Amino acid sequence: MKLKKLQPLTNDYLESIGFVWHTDIDNSSYVANEVVEISEEEANTYYEACNELYDMFCEAGEYVIENNLFHEINIPFNLVEIIKESWENDVHWHLYSRFDLAGGVDGKPIKLLEFNADTPTSLFETAIIQWALLKANNLENVSQFNNLYEALKENFKRIITLDTDTNKFEEYYSKLNWKILFSSISSSSEDINTTKLLQHIASEAGFNTDFEYIENVQFSDEGIFKDEEAFEFWFKLIPWENIAIEEGELAVLLTEIVKEKKAIIFNPAYTLMFQSKGFMKILWDLFPNHPLLLETSFEPLENKKQVEKRCFGREGANIKIINSDGSIELETSGEYEGHRAIYQEYVELPKDMEGNSYQAGVFYAYEACALGFRRGEKILNNMSKFVGHIIK
């Protein structure tokens, strides 16, 4: 890895723009004071790879629905109907997501690790912080693969235009005047401020918006409400699988709301298919030996080093790195043991001189639009650092 050291952003500055989760529990800075140097060619390769991957996900999504493979990829039964409803109607627009990738730098091929399609983290860091870090070091004219803010603004407009041409947004929206309610849980400053950043972008795009914590939002068979005001759109930074498992009655009610066209929810329910790591097995079946994919199975791979993951595991929990002889090299605990396991061919992440591993994250909002990195140990977790980049 080629790294460039920079002067860090101060905590006072970060807090002034709403980025309050800047320090980890061990008192170390969450945002690295250095950036990864990549070439223009490497940036273009990330862009092209993720656009191709998204097309593959869409093809595989149709295959899952046509063949009723929801159980195979660990989809909760009480979300199957709303997934089908959201998939079949174009108004359920996929706003944004993030591909997690190995490789892409120093000549190493890009390989898909997983797709954070429903509630991807590190949006604030990617869209705002890594750009601000360059600006603070008088590098604002240096190029980044980072158009996330504008890409999100344009994609919010597509909620109305349903078209590549967003110039029609004001004309269409003036006739509709539909509103978006943004919601997060109240106990996470990261979730709150990430959601409010998205609300700000939607407001800049031209929408009427409001915010409310999930526990205060009202749901009925008539729609989604805040203080008895109905909202045509609802953005929730709450994972679909959490709604299914922890709030079963709400899952049923949201299905009825979508079926009866009382409201549209973002990200749409079909993104849960993409979010499931079991989807990697479907991709491998449909695109065997594709250069962007790693072999993935619901059964342990024979005579191969591999990683065992849980379909809806998060933050590096419940992961095993298994050697080709079946011995366990590394293992983490967690709360996701009840989800189905997948087995994915192991790939080494790029490393720096100190042995830290780097995983690329590429955001997708209608097209691939921004790159950032996470740095940590062999298994990345919630103590991994965010590392920005520059194009040299």
Side-chain angles (χ1 to χ4, degrees), residues 34-207:
E34 50 204 353
V35 289
V36 177
E37 293 185 352
I38 67 169
S39 67
E40 188 78 44
E41 182 181 358
E42 287 169 333
N44 289 336
T45 301
Y46 278 123
Y47 172 79
E48 291 166 1
C50 292
N51 289 337
E52 182 176 357
L53 283 168
Y54 195 83
D55 289 343
M56 292 161 62
F57 268 82
C58 291
E59 185 175 334
E62 188 68 33
Y63 180 82
V64 167
I65 289 175
E66 286 180 354
N67 292 279
N68 203 33
L69 299 178
F70 301 102
H71 178 72
E72 281 80 352
I73 62 173
N74 209 195
I75 299 295
F77 73 93
N78 56 357
L79 290 180
V80 170
E81 191 173 0
I82 193 173
I83 286 172
K84 290 179 177 178
E85 286 286 334
S86 64
W87 183 262
E88 290 166 5
N89 191 330
D90 287 344
V91 300
H92 300 282
W93 199 261
H94 192 178
L95 281 177
Y96 76 113
S97 50
R98 191 191 76 237
F99 289 99
D100 285 347
L101 308 163
V105 292
D106 295 342
K108 295 180 179 177
I110 292 172
K111 295 290 184 181
L112 173 67
L113 299 173
E114 56 194 65
F115 188 28
N116 296 277
D118 180 17
T119 55
T121 55
S122 74
L123 184 143
F124 205 123
E125 299 91 304
T126 305
I128 306 295
I129 301 303
Q130 66 170 335
W131 173 82
L133 187 60
L134 294 191
K135 190 174 187 340
N137 282 269
N138 298 314
L139 294 168
E140 61 262 39
N141 294 325
V142 174
S143 177
Q144 276 186 343
F145 172 25
N146 185 13
N147 188 41
L148 181 52
Y149 194 99
E150 289 300 321
L152 282 166
K153 190 190 296 188
E154 289 300 292
N155 223 20
F156 271 114
K157 293 179 182 180
R158 291 188 184 95
I159 292 171
I160 300 298
T161 65
L162 298 177
D163 197 293
T164 55
D165 182 7
T166 57
N167 292 323
K168 303 172 186 175
F169 170 79
E170 290 185 9
E171 174 191 347
Y172 290 178
Y173 187 68
S174 64
K175 299 173 185 175
L176 299 168
N177 200 31
W178 287 345
K179 303 175 292 296
I180 310 177
L181 180 64
F182 287 79
S183 297
S184 74
I185 59 173
S186 59
S187 58
S188 168
S189 56
E190 179 178 356
D191 285 8
I192 294 166
N193 286 359
T194 298
T195 304
K196 288 187 174 179
L197 172 61
L198 286 160
Q199 179 190 1
H200 177 77
I201 294 170
S203 298
E204 274 199 1
F207 280 95

Side-chain angles (χ1 to χ4, degrees), residues 252-270:
V252 173
L253 192 51
L254 292 176
T255 300
E256 288 305 306
I257 288 170
V258 168
K259 278 180 63 180
E260 297 303 317
K261 299 179 174 55
K262 299 296 184 180
I264 295 168
I265 303 168
F266 303 105
N267 272 317
Y270 64 74

